[in-house]
Amino acid sequence: MPRIIPFKAVRPTRDKVSLIAARSYDSYSAAQVEARLRDNPFSFLHIINPGYKYDKIISGKERYTLVKNRYQEFKEDEIFIQDEKESFYVYKIVNRDGLVFHGIVGAASTQDYENDTIKKHEDTIEYREEIFKEYLDTVGFNAEPVLLTYPDNDEIAAFIAEVIKERAEYEFTTTYRDTHYLWKVDDSSILKKISGIFSEMDTLYIADGHHRSSSSCLLAKYKKSKNENHQGDEPYNYFMSYLIPESDLKIYEFNRLVKDLNGLSKEEFLIALDASFRIENREQEYYKPSKKHHFSMYLDGDFYSLYLRKGSYEINNALDALDTQILYTTILAPILNITDVRNDKRLDYSHGKKDLSYVKSVVDKGEFQVGFGLLPITTEELKKIADEGLKMPPKSTYIEPKLRSGVTIYEF
């Protein structure tokens, strides 16, 4: 019984939302960050990069405190205003590729995360969890929702369809040519109904935001330990989420790039691959795999198709059947000696929106020696991994929609 509740969001004024909304900080180059901080005084980047004001790189607790200060200044200047009523927020995104995403912004329970009612498919890194927990504890808000997905539901679909007939509270297009729409719903009877529909579902799944949700769970435990009057309904027991139906989820693959062949010649490498794969040289044909357990490889100016040999690989669970795991088990670890896929500097990743032409270009430049192309993982595969309590290899999925920070803010 997932618990999804409305909340009083802190939001930008309508005239400034397009200026404030920002992508994830890591998605900007240093030059892009500099340009936005220099030219746009309302960018949310000013809040999360407060050292810019002092022309100084600031980190740790000092930075977190300054983030809180900048955020409070935006509120004092009435750039951000908190809604008076608890609300759900219907959020629609039309991206530049024409994909349309519809969902609801609400608050999800950390208890549901802890008891696996909200299921995970990725491992988290403990030190990153702790760092972000400390950050949240200092600043006191979530600014970017965790992306959750739920089984398609006719009642929620009908609710969203009715809401979006009205004029949106926000409608703005980003420089990435994605258009965002937001509607506020604060009718108490409707809020109760929507919460009730979610509570009847068996499970929700994290699509994107594993570290944000796990850090929120750590924060809730910490706050509980410090609060003698803990009741369980305090705001710190929830984290902001954007819930979309499974049919709206768009999953791209992450291709793999490797800097060297672990001391092997090209011929020795191909012979080693032959033990597990049927190999065909496609020469200049841009070969993209069309079936599970088929892979593309670009090596020394040629594309190759790699088909996993039947009987050469044993599948015992959902993880074994995952192409990213197969690539690791048959090539990266035993042949290329890449055993720590999270930290090995010889391995890099390229999400599928960049396609195989990017893989070809960086190999041709000599930045990498070989590249591998994969098929995207499906939503069903993602769910099976989570249902079996397993974890995908890192960079197994590149998931859209990608959300903006600063459009709705959840305080705790």
Side-chain angles (χ1 to χ4, degrees):
M1 294 179 58
R3 183 163 167 75
I4 304 297
I5 64 170
F7 66 99
K8 298 177 183 179
V10 176
R11 299 187 290 115
T13 55
R14 180 183 290 178
D15 62 315
K16 294 184 178 66
V17 62
S18 62
L19 298 170
I20 288 170
R23 303 197 312 271
S24 171
Y25 189 81
D26 292 340
S27 70
Y28 293 99
S29 68
Q32 288 173 326
V33 169
E34 172 64 27
R36 281 159 175 77
L37 291 172
R38 182 186 65 240
D39 300 332
N40 179 5
F42 300 108
S43 173
F44 195 76
L45 296 180
H46 280 285
I47 292 176
I48 57 178
N49 189 8
Y52 180 80
K53 180 177 181 179
Y54 303 104
D55 193 25
K56 180 182 177 183
I57 297 174
I58 302 173
S59 60
K61 185 72 173 181
E62 183 182 18
R63 173 178 168 257
Y64 307 158
T65 301
L66 289 177
V67 167
K68 181 179 181 179
N69 292 347
R70 293 292 87 73
Y71 173 65
Q72 293 299 329
E73 288 170 6
F74 271 51
K75 291 179 69 177
E76 290 164 4
D77 293 340
E78 297 187 341
I79 298 168
F80 283 137
I81 299 174
Q82 186 165 30
D83 287 326
E84 295 181 357
K85 295 182 178 180
E86 291 184 340
S87 306
F88 281 130
Y89 303 87
V90 172
Y91 202 133
K92 174 183 174 183
I93 303 172
V94 182
N95 78 3
R96 57 180 173 179
D97 298 321
L99 297 175
V100 182
F101 308 97
H102 298 90
I104 298 172
V105 177
S109 166
T110 57
Q111 186 64 42
D112 288 340
Y113 176 91
E114 192 170 359
N115 66 23
D116 218 30
T117 301
I118 296 175
K119 293 191 174 182
K120 316 89 179 165
H121 66 265
E122 285 185 4
D123 272 328
T124 51
I125 301 172
E126 186 174 354
Y127 82 88
R128 287 185 60 190
E129 292 176 339
E130 289 289 344
I131 287 172
F132 197 58
K133 186 266 284 186
E134 184 180 352
Y135 170 84
L136 292 174
D137 187 38
T138 303
V139 303
F141 63 81
N142 293 149
E144 182 182 340
V146 171
L147 183 62
L148 300 180
T149 188
Y150 60 87
D152 286 32
N153 182 283
D154 290 340
E155 288 185 280
I156 294 180
F159 160 69
I160 291 175
E162 190 64 28
V163 169
I164 65 176
K165 290 179 182 178
E166 304 297 326
R167 183 193 176 192
E169 178 81 7
Y170 296 152
E171 178 180 352
F172 64 96
T173 300
T174 70
T175 53
Y176 258 43
R177 302 194 302 280
D178 299 337
T179 303
H180 297 246
Y181 306 82
L182 180 137
W183 294 261
K184 181 168 72 76
V185 180
D186 59 14
D187 183 296
S188 59
S189 62
I190 295 175
L191 301 181
K192 184 177 180 180
K193 179 181 179 181
I194 297 303
S195 288
I197 294 171
F198 280 118
S199 72
E200 293 171 0
M201 297 177 182
D202 293 328
T203 307
L204 302 174
Y205 294 85
I206 297 176
D208 195 16
H210 285 78
H211 280 94
R212 275 172 279 142
S213 47
S214 62
S215 298
S216 294
C217 189
L218 284 178
L219 178 67
K221 291 178 182 178
Y222 173 74
K223 292 276 195 180
K224 178 181 177 180
S225 70
K226 298 293 183 181
N227 183 3
E228 295 180 357
N229 300 311
H230 175 84
Q231 300 294 317
D233 58 356
E234 295 87 352
Y236 60 72
N237 293 292
Y238 296 87
F239 56 93
M240 185 168 62
S241 300
Y242 179 45
L243 298 105
I244 68 170
E246 291 173 4
S247 59
D248 270 17
L249 205 62
K250 177 63 176 176
I251 304 177
Y252 295 89
E253 71 277 15
F254 261 107
N255 298 318
R256 271 62 174 149
L257 295 156
V258 184
K259 290 187 179 294
D260 61 67
L261 299 182
N262 191 32
L264 299 174
S265 67
K266 172 184 171 181
E267 291 72 22
E268 290 170 333
F269 179 58
L270 290 171
I271 290 171
L273 290 179
D274 195 81
S276 299
F277 296 92
R278 178 180 172 183
I279 306 169
E280 183 177 344
N281 188 339
R282 304 283 184 138
E283 298 180 345
Q284 299 306 303
E285 174 192 350
Y286 273 68
Y287 171 72
K288 182 177 177 64
S290 58
K291 293 182 179 180
K292 288 296 176 184
H293 312 335
H294 289 189
F295 302 85
S296 171
M297 181 175 72
Y298 186 69
L299 173 68
D300 193 29
D302 287 334
F303 282 97
Y304 294 81
S305 59
L306 307 179
Y307 299 163
L308 185 67
R309 292 189 185 279
K310 294 179 181 179
S312 69
Y313 180 86
E314 187 174 348
I315 295 176
N316 297 308
N317 54 42
L319 179 60
D320 291 340
L322 213 61
D323 281 349
T324 50
Q325 181 69 10
I326 291 171
L327 191 73
Y328 169 76
T329 304
T330 60
I331 301 176
L332 297 183
I335 300 176
L336 296 176
N337 195 31
I338 296 174
T339 56
D340 184 356
V341 291
R342 195 175 294 277
N343 298 306
D344 197 313
K345 300 301 183 184
R346 296 165 55 221
L347 177 66
D348 205 350
Y349 303 90
S350 165
H351 61 71
K353 293 194 76 173
K354 290 184 176 180
D355 68 40
L356 291 174
S357 63
Y358 176 80
V359 173
K360 179 180 185 300
S361 68
V362 293
V363 173
D364 285 345
K365 291 175 184 176
E367 296 174 21
F368 299 91
Q369 196 161 352
V370 63
F372 299 96
L374 295 82
L375 221 68
I377 286 167
T378 66
T379 302
E380 285 305 310
E381 287 179 303
L382 182 152
K383 291 171 61 179
K384 284 181 181 178
I385 290 286
D387 289 343
E388 293 183 22
L390 303 169
K391 300 294 183 288
M392 294 183 182
K395 300 291 186 182
S396 287
T397 57
Y398 180 86
I399 294 179
E400 289 193 334
K402 295 296 183 188
L403 305 174
R404 297 270 163 160
S405 296
V407 179
T408 56
I409 296 173
Y410 177 74
E411 293 188 342
F412 39 81

